[in-house]
Amino acid sequence: MPRFMTVGYPLHHACRSNRLGNRAPLKGNLVSLSIEQDRWNDWAGTTEPNSFFNNVLDNFIQITNTPPFVRIGADSEDHTDFSYDVEYEEDIFPPSSTITPYPEATNITVGQGFYDIISHLPNGTEVHWGLNLREYNLTAAYLETVALMNAFSSPAVLEKHITLKFIEVGNEADLYYDNEGRNSSWNVQEYVSEWEEFAYNVSITANLSKLSCTKLIGAAFAGSSHNNLSGFSPQAIFNLGILESPAGQLIETISQHHYSGSFCTGSGAALQDLMTKDYIRGNLSAFIPDIEATLANGLKYILGETNSISCHGAPNVSNTAGAALWLLDYTLYATQVGISRIHFHEGIGYKYNLIQPLTLNYSILDGSPITPLAPHVQPAYYAAIIVAEAIASSGTTQAVEISIDEDNVSGYAFFEHGSLSKAVFINTVAYFSGAGARNSTHIDFSFAGLGYPPNNTSVKALKIGYASDTSNLTWGGQTYETSDGRVSGPLTVDVLPVSSGIDLQETEAILVTFS
């Protein structure tokens, strides 16, 4: 049986309250990417661009006029060294396992070509690049920085207006003791001292200044101050004076990393848990003290690496349609707590990917041999497209969470030029095969006091068979599951009078455009 609810408060009060006035407009690259550095050449392409990867990035440009921000780094940035004898890269990988069928390389040696292929990204792409701190080798950091700056000053990159916005010195230094990068004395004081030394040398080599386009990323820690028992947090490094150091004065943005669960031991993930509204809010709210401290220092705050479940995702959880609804709610709620950009982590064959950019010969679930699987998008990609369409290209879009007294329905209102334009609604009840009748929630709108209430709605739906589905989703009747990554099929949009309201099925998301 359908349930009925009335959505009213934000739709007719937000424009007249401080809920919009103090919110920065959302950028078209709110959903961005973090790419594991060890196989960067597979994403970008070597002798020619990876056309599939470029197509799926260009889909966002067609909607928002903005390419996704691309971070190249993560765990393997701290295992990367430079050699003039290597053209692109040479990697050493540990054995595959059923938990991590596509493991990160433990040793990466790269040459100038590894950096030059940044020119294969779409026009106007902004880049965030990670350098090796863990190995404590100033010469290696110098060589990497020189190669990086050579690439970004090349005609091929300059002609496409691809810019290096951030250099990140070290990935998740709060875990260096855990991953045997440092001894048991390692603490945040030692980190700040090392970071200031390395980052200063990097900034001199790269000729960075307060006036340069390129700035430094701060922190890049693995968790929030709420759960980081080692004492690493934005507040800790601020208190130790990092922002007053020569390199620290070049920090413009603080980055932290977050996963909503772990599959590192091969268990511990349930799809309905991941999707649950309270679970999503609880995960992100833990960062509020860190965000507030960052904003109080006049800096921006991003999740520079995040995704559903750590250790590359959980099988039949991270690669499913249910995870797409998680990503949608997670992203939009992040905007409500002051997070300005979210980089979803990607690696070749990772379960939680939005994009698989090349042919896979082994299962992402357990590493078993499979019939070669061509490049394709995974369900979470659809969520990123929905976010892009909600933001659109005006450059003025602001979002406010709609106050909905339902445990499993989330809603967000979008305003352009201060006027209500769209709303997104998400039903996070996981509907599975054999569950019986599929329930719906009916939503009625109230616009009392809005001034000029809309008359009609255009409703576009993300249609999903079951929460566990890994393919065959449609967005407005169309699919992105094509050989070239481009959208295909006739568009289906329902035009309804506002007075009729809308119905939202379990495991479904809709975008409502008001007119």
Side-chain angles (χ1 to χ4, degrees):
M1 293 292 292
R3 294 172 293 153
F4 293 85
M5 59 189 294
T6 298
V7 173
Y9 170 71
L11 297 182
H12 68 270
H13 284 294
C15 283
R16 296 187 288 111
S17 73
N18 292 328
R19 301 188 78 197
L20 275 182
N22 60 3
R23 294 183 185 275
L26 302 177
K27 300 286 189 179
N29 58 13
L30 172 63
V31 173
S32 287
L33 301 179
S34 165
I35 294 176
E36 193 68 50
Q37 193 170 107
D38 60 359
R39 298 186 65 175
W40 164 239
N41 60 333
D42 287 324
W43 292 85
T46 52
T47 57
E48 61 183 12
N50 180 328
S51 60
F52 183 86
F53 183 49
N54 272 264
N55 285 349
V56 296
L57 295 181
D58 184 65
N59 290 336
F60 296 104
I61 300 173
Q62 300 303 314
I63 298 167
T64 66
N65 288 334
T66 306
F69 215 113
V70 178
R71 174 203 184 219
I72 300 105
D75 178 72
S76 52
E77 82 185 50
D78 275 329
H79 299 272
T80 298
D81 291 299
F82 182 87
S83 171
Y84 290 107
D85 297 326
V86 172
E87 182 177 10
Y88 294 108
E89 67 174 305
E90 296 176 358
D91 297 335
I92 298 174
F93 289 94
S96 174
S97 71
T98 55
I99 296 174
T100 52
Y102 291 84
E104 298 104 325
T106 52
N107 185 283
I108 304 104
T109 305
V110 302
Q112 185 62 52
F114 184 77
Y115 300 91
D116 291 343
I117 57 177
I118 205 76
S119 65
H120 291 173
L121 287 172
N123 286 15
T125 300
E126 295 176 305
V127 176
H128 164 164
W129 194 284
L131 299 179
N132 188 340
L133 174 66
R134 181 178 178 273
E135 293 183 356
Y136 198 70
N137 186 328
L138 279 169
T139 300
Y142 168 80
L143 293 173
E144 289 180 56
T145 304
V146 169
L148 184 64
M149 301 315 291
N150 284 343
F152 277 92
S153 62
S154 69
V157 171
L158 293 174
E159 287 170 7
K160 295 179 73 174
H161 304 287
I162 298 168
T163 55
L164 178 63
K165 294 295 290 185
F166 296 109
I167 295 175
E168 174 183 294
V169 180
N171 173 73
E172 299 182 355
D174 49 328
L175 299 184
Y176 280 0
Y177 171 64
D178 296 335
N179 60 32
E180 301 181 350
R182 296 292 185 277
N183 62 29
S184 60
S185 69
W186 181 242
N187 57 40
V188 69
Q189 290 87 354
E190 289 187 36
Y191 163 75
V192 168
S193 177
E194 283 193 16
W195 185 91
E196 289 177 355
E197 177 189 15
F198 267 71
Y200 176 73
N201 279 274
V202 167
S203 67
I204 295 300
T205 304
N207 196 28
L208 304 187
S209 72
K210 292 182 179 179
L211 299 178
S212 61
C213 169
T214 305
K215 296 294 191 297
L216 298 177
I217 282 289
F221 298 148
S224 69
S225 58
H226 176 75
N227 62 17
N228 198 322
L229 301 179
S230 59
F232 285 73
S233 69
Q235 297 90 315
I237 63 174
F238 297 157
N239 291 338
L240 289 167
I242 197 170
L243 298 179
E244 285 73 55
S245 69
Q249 293 179 45
L250 301 176
I251 293 174
E252 187 179 84
T253 296
I254 292 294
S255 169
Q256 285 178 282
H257 303 168
H258 182 61
Y259 292 87
S260 296
S262 173
F263 192 68
C264 298
T265 61
S267 63
L271 182 54
Q272 179 62 86
D273 290 346
L274 178 71
M275 295 169 62
T276 299
K277 182 177 176 180
D278 285 347
Y279 187 71
I280 290 169
R281 280 142 188 76
N283 268 273
L284 289 170
S285 295
F287 288 88
I288 289 176
D290 304 347
I291 296 166
E292 290 177 342
T294 298
L295 300 181
N297 278 280
L299 307 174
K300 295 180 180 178
Y301 184 96
I302 65 171
L303 288 179
E305 177 184 327
T306 192
N307 216 306
S308 56
I309 308 293
S310 65
C311 291
H312 309 173
N316 303 312
V317 175
S318 300
N319 58 316
T320 66
L325 298 184
W326 164 82
L327 189 148
L328 182 58
D329 199 12
Y330 184 84
T331 298
L332 296 179
Y333 186 73
T335 68
Q336 305 302 292
V337 296
I339 299 171
S340 60
R341 191 170 60 253
I342 304 100
H343 291 256
F344 288 95
H345 196 49
E346 309 280 294
I348 299 300
Y350 292 5
K351 302 173 194 73
Y352 51 44
N353 279 11
L354 283 69
I355 304 156
Q356 298 289 3
L358 83 169
T359 298
L360 302 177
N361 295 306
Y362 299 93
S363 168
I364 66 172
L365 303 181
D366 59 13
S368 59
I370 58 172
T371 301
L373 184 59
H376 60 284
V377 300
Q378 298 197 155
Y381 183 83
Y382 287 90
I385 289 291
I386 296 171
V387 172
E389 291 193 15
I391 295 171
S393 60
S394 72
T396 69
T397 303
Q398 296 165 286
V400 176
E401 186 178 16
I402 299 169
S403 181
I404 297 176
D405 189 21
E406 287 278 330
D407 291 340
N408 294 297
V409 176
S410 300
Y412 301 87
F414 294 83
F415 297 80
E416 294 186 53
H417 304 286
S419 297
L420 178 67
S421 61
K422 302 182 185 79
V424 167
F425 295 97
I426 311 156
N427 189 322
T428 57
V429 174
Y431 180 70
F432 293 108
S433 175
R438 191 170 192 167
N439 292 321
S440 295
T441 296
H442 183 77
I443 300 173
D444 286 317
F445 301 109
S446 170
F447 301 95
L450 190 60
Y452 297 95
N455 295 315
N456 294 309
T457 62
S458 298
V459 180
K460 192 172 182 180
L462 178 65
K463 291 297 184 182
I464 295 167
Y466 301 107
S468 55
D469 286 354
T470 59
S471 60
N472 298 318
L473 286 71
T474 60
W475 171 235
Q478 298 178 307
T479 181
Y480 284 89
E481 298 163 42
T482 56
S483 60
D484 60 1
R486 295 297 195 180
V487 66
S488 178
L491 176 64
T492 301
V493 176
D494 294 326
V495 178
L496 304 169
V498 166
S499 58
S500 68
I502 55 173
D503 292 312
L504 181 67
Q505 284 189 324
E506 294 172 339
T507 311
E508 185 178 50
I510 57 175
L511 175 66
V512 180
T513 302
F514 298 102
S515 60

